[in-house]
Amino acid sequence: MICAPRIMHYILHIVQSAAVLGIVSSSLYYLLCLWSAFTFLRGREAGRSARPTRDLPPISILKPLKGTDPEIYESLRSHCLQDYPEYEIIFGVSDPADPVIETVKALQRDFPRHRIQLVLCLKNLGANVKVSNLVQMLAEAHYDNLIVNDSDIRVEPDYLRRVTAPFADSSVGMVTCLYRGVAAATLGSRLESLGISTDFCPGVLAARQLEGGIHFGLGSTLAFRRAELERIGGFAAIVNHLADDYELGARISALGLAVKLSDVVVETYLPPYRLPEFIAHQLRWARGVRDARAGGYMGLAFTFGTLWALLAVVASAGARWSWGALACTLLLRLAVTLVVGWSVLRDRQVLKNAWLLPLRDLVAVAVWIVSLGGHTVSWRGEHFKLKDGKLTRIPS
């Protein structure tokens, strides 16, 4: 009969072995993120030395809105300050009583010479209200070069020039952008911002390096031509999908066209999330990624370096080697934070919030575990069932 101490010894040995494997795999992943970031930085510097050699076609910016976001007037206003010869901005709302309408009217008053249009999107064409609005907004667009970005995105005056530059190459079908989060004072908002700079964006860069480019879009910026949109069935083809930005990029990539990651980094102003709101938002995002990229999402287990290093310390009863492994893991994690958060994204809050990294990493593990076992998401006050990337509204 096997005694309890021996069983515990075997369990600790298994945990210790798994932790060592996790530390190694996570360290390799962090090195990949660093390599990917340096590659991106080299490309950005090379791009700055190149001079534009093409005309600037007129652009329609489509911005679906629902409710107000932090500093939304300034974020929307930044799109009216573009150093670009001809463009229009089309806003769309589904609720005639939405308070954001007053913000759009203020923009129209402040920029009377700009072509700024507000479209009331009264038809409900699918579970994804944002995409439903886009279907109706597109009918009002005058131009064939389109940009869609989220309502909380703030941009610099050269945004349109730089984002559209890659379309000089006819093999480019979409351009998308990295982004940094500007956090409010709450812990949830700071954790969200930290996750964008140290988890999400490094993952995007790593995927770009491994896959020879990216094959999806990011909601911070989706620039494409009307012709390619029509070839994939228009916005109507993704009106029931949660990850509409991912789907647009993936479907344009499937046409054999390149999806380019711009050298532009935009900003998103984050709400003052309370912890439950932050976790709910992370869970929605996690389940969306799980459905869109199941293999990559399961592989995240091999990137949880902080968790594996802490487990090694516990399982080895604090052996000297385990503390060394923990220190090395945290140093690599901090290196990713500095290179991606500070150098690539120019996130000026990332150093101030870096002490929260262990907490952010452990919360990410908990969200990942919970996300594996459910198929419901909450979005803008509504509840949906998620299956194969598509949403079905749950009646309240």
Side-chain angles (χ1 to χ4, degrees):
M1 185 173 182
I2 301 176
C3 62
R6 180 165 294 184
I7 293 175
M8 181 58 65
H9 172 77
Y10 287 143
I11 292 173
L12 289 175
H13 180 73
I14 292 171
V15 171
Q16 190 177 134
S17 299
V20 169
L21 176 62
I23 290 169
V24 171
S25 63
S26 300
S27 298
L28 292 173
Y29 173 71
Y30 296 152
L31 291 172
L32 171 63
C33 291
L34 291 170
W35 177 34
S36 305
F38 287 126
T39 300
F40 177 83
L41 288 170
R42 284 197 301 270
R44 183 159 71 184
E45 289 303 316
R48 283 177 181 166
S49 63
R51 296 185 178 183
T53 57
R54 64 179 197 86
D55 295 331
L56 300 173
I59 296 171
S60 295
I61 303 174
L62 308 180
K63 290 188 73 71
L65 307 174
K66 183 175 182 180
T68 57
D69 296 304
E71 300 198 30
I72 189 168
Y73 177 82
E74 291 300 325
S75 296
L76 300 184
R77 179 176 178 271
S78 70
H79 293 74
C80 301
L81 302 174
Q82 291 300 298
D83 177 22
Y84 201 84
E86 188 175 358
Y87 67 100
E88 64 178 351
I89 309 175
I90 301 174
F91 299 104
V93 296
S94 56
D95 181 0
D98 195 313
V100 78
I101 291 175
E102 290 304 315
T103 305
V104 175
K105 289 181 177 179
L107 280 176
Q108 291 172 324
R109 289 193 301 268
D110 293 344
F111 296 91
R113 296 185 178 181
H114 283 57
R115 179 177 280 177
I116 301 173
Q117 186 175 357
L118 176 65
V119 178
L120 290 177
C121 308
L122 301 179
K123 297 178 182 178
N124 186 350
L125 304 177
N128 189 323
V129 176
K130 170 187 168 183
V131 179
S132 175
N133 289 358
L134 284 169
V135 173
Q136 296 165 77
M137 293 160 63
L138 182 63
E140 304 299 325
H142 291 85
Y143 306 129
D144 291 331
N145 292 275
L146 308 172
I147 290 182
V148 178
N149 62 22
D150 290 337
S151 59
D152 56 358
I153 295 298
R154 188 175 300 186
V155 299
E156 296 295 326
D158 60 354
Y159 169 73
L160 290 182
R161 286 180 179 268
R162 291 169 64 189
V163 163
T164 57
F167 288 112
D169 182 351
S170 61
S171 68
V172 173
M174 173 178 278
V175 178
T176 193
C177 292
L178 296 174
Y179 58 98
R180 58 181 173 267
V182 180
T186 63
L187 178 60
S189 188
R190 292 165 71 186
L191 290 174
E192 178 84 6
S193 173
L194 193 61
I196 292 170
S197 292
T198 67
D199 188 8
F200 178 74
C201 287
V204 171
L205 292 173
R208 174 176 177 259
Q209 195 70 35
L210 285 176
E211 299 173 13
I214 63 174
H215 304 283
F216 51 86
L218 305 175
S220 55
T221 293
L222 301 164
F224 48 91
R225 305 178 191 88
R226 191 190 296 257
E228 276 71 63
L229 180 64
E230 291 174 352
R231 288 177 65 189
I232 64 170
F235 289 123
I238 57 169
V239 77
N240 289 309
H241 283 78
L242 172 62
D244 50 271
D245 49 0
Y246 177 90
E247 285 292 329
L248 271 176
R251 294 179 184 215
I252 288 176
S253 176
L255 297 176
L257 297 171
V259 177
K260 289 292 184 182
L261 189 62
S262 173
D263 62 355
V264 174
V265 176
V266 298
E267 286 185 333
T268 175
Y269 278 72
L270 301 173
Y273 288 124
R274 294 179 292 113
L275 275 177
E277 294 170 327
F278 159 69
I279 291 171
H281 181 261
Q282 289 290 300
L283 190 57
R284 173 171 66 82
W285 175 85
R287 285 178 174 157
V289 175
R290 181 200 65 190
D291 267 38
R293 293 172 65 89
Y297 191 70
M298 296 302 295
L300 287 177
F302 297 99
T303 69
F304 296 140
T306 302
L307 170 70
W308 294 120
L310 289 172
L311 280 177
V313 171
V314 173
S316 67
R320 183 177 298 178
W321 68 265
S322 68
W323 288 106
L326 175 61
C328 290
T329 301
L330 293 178
L331 281 173
L332 279 174
R333 189 77 176 97
L334 184 60
V336 172
T337 299
L338 292 173
V339 173
V340 178
W342 183 266
S343 299
V344 173
L345 303 179
R346 298 189 178 92
D347 179 355
R348 297 308 178 238
Q349 294 181 319
V350 75
L351 293 182
K352 181 176 68 175
N353 294 326
W355 68 276
L356 291 169
L357 264 177
L359 174 60
R360 175 64 182 79
D361 287 351
L362 295 178
V363 169
V365 174
V367 168
W368 182 81
I369 293 171
V370 173
S371 72
L372 297 176
H375 296 275
T376 59
V377 296
S378 298
W379 190 17
R380 296 275 188 174
E382 296 186 86
H383 301 285
F384 301 87
K385 180 165 283 189
L386 178 65
K387 184 177 181 181
D388 298 328
K390 293 185 176 181
L391 295 167
T392 303
R393 186 175 281 104
I394 300 174
S396 55

